[in-house]
Amino acid sequence: MSVTTAAYATDELPGETVDAVVIGGGAAGLNGALMLARSRRSVVVIDSGTPRNAPADGIHGLLGLEGTPPAELLRRGREEVRRYGGKVVTGEVTSAAPTAPSADEGEPRFTVTLVDGSTLSARRLLVATGLRDVLPDVHGLAEHWGHGLVHCPYCHGWEVRDETIGILAVGPASVHHALLFRQLTDDLVYFTRGSELDEDTRARFAARNIRVVDTPVTEVVAAEDGDIAGVRLSDGQLVPRRVLAVATTMQARTEGLDELKLPMQDLPGGMGRHFATGTAGATDVPGVWVAGNATDLSAQVGASAAAGALAGARINADLVAADTEAALAAAQRGGRSETGNGATGNPN
């Protein structure tokens, strides 16, 4: 088996309870798993294989990895997690639920069920499911996502510099969006699409030579080469554009997680919904942490990876505290504790 094939292969689920299950195999999930595996914790990553940035040509704004294809970064990440004994399983989680605490210490326990019916027991969970971008309902728009249609000036800005760019407004957030993209091109058109735009903002746009179009947008027109040719208006006019930018509605991926009853928060203006977390991704549910875009909707790859690493470290610290309490209790009973090194598994 080649190195590449091995990196994308799926590992077998362990039969014993593991220290941690990571739900989501993106930058946050893999970095969290890496921290846990390097702390000699038994950790399993469940990865559905549908990363948010899959359509992108490269990762940007990440020092030392600038321009790396997203799939290549994940390939390296899987290899690194496995290097330290972690497992990466290809699958989709249909249920993650608390189960009865451990008999001796009353520790949290969770059962994770995959779409094929297989199950896995864990002491702790790291939710790193990412988010889903919801696009405006404009005919012909979605097919250009990740190429001619972009959302982040820091992720894609340099690559679309000096192009004819159009902003498809979705609400107040689009005003800030337009000013950021104006830094990248002298030819910017703002399509209001029925959103409010006060006179002060119009004056600011005029001062920056941002053209405002109030006529409704009916469709995005593709060129013969498949790229964007322009935006068709309700009066039949075609406004030529090569790139479109839109502030998407960002929704944390919550499929299969309902039984955890994790608290959620809404962003203002209907911009999105995410898991509510505290320091280092801790949640109100004992034993569960969240990292990456599932809780920080605006985080780029570097920030998501850093959050995953921090959450992984906190999970390990929590497990260390639990193992120490178990060892103390066993010593006081005159027995011997079997908890500790996750590399050899942990009792139920």
Side-chain angles (χ1 to χ4, degrees), residues 285-303:
V285 179
V288 182
W289 280 254
V290 183
N293 283 144
T295 183
D296 185 354
L297 299 176
S298 63
Q300 292 182 264
V301 172

Side-chain angles (χ1 to χ4, degrees), residues 22-36 45 53 73-74 81 126-130 290-296 299-313 315:
V22 179
I23 304 175
L30 288 173
N31 220 22
L34 182 63
M35 293 293 282
L36 286 160
V45 178
N53 61 358
L73 179 69
L74 298 183
V81 169
L126 174 56
V127 174
T129 50
V290 183
N293 283 144
T295 183
D296 185 354
Q300 292 182 264
V301 172
S304 291
L310 184 56
I315 291 172

Side-chain angles (χ1 to χ4, degrees), residues 24-90:
L30 288 173
N31 220 22
L34 182 63
M35 293 293 282
L36 286 160
R38 281 179 50 81
S39 295
R40 305 193 73 185
R41 292 295 176 185
S42 53
V43 57
V44 177
V45 178
I46 308 297
D47 180 23
S48 67
T50 55
R52 178 195 187 194
N53 61 358
D57 294 326
I59 294 166
H60 300 291
L62 183 56
L63 190 65
L65 293 172
E66 175 64 29
T68 302
E72 171 64 13
L73 179 69
L74 298 183
R75 182 190 68 79
R76 295 180 194 176
R78 295 185 189 104
E79 285 185 345
E80 290 167 358
V81 169
R82 287 175 169 136
R83 184 187 309 164
Y84 296 102
K87 295 181 181 295
V88 181
V89 175
T90 301

Side-chain angles (χ1 to χ4, degrees), residues 12-23 41-46 87 89 93 95-103 107-114 117-126 260 287 319 342 345-348:
E12 292 186 5
L13 288 176
E16 71 277 2
T17 295
V18 297
D19 287 322
V21 166
V22 179
I23 304 175
R41 292 295 176 185
S42 53
V43 57
V44 177
V45 178
I46 308 297
K87 295 181 181 295
V89 175
V93 173
S95 172
T99 53
S102 61
E107 258 204 287
R109 288 289 186 270
F110 303 91
T111 298
V112 178
T113 304
L114 305 189
S118 57
T119 61
L120 182 61
S121 176
R123 300 172 69 193
R124 303 293 186 271
L125 293 182
L126 174 56
L260 294 176
L319 288 167
N346 292 279
N348 294 333

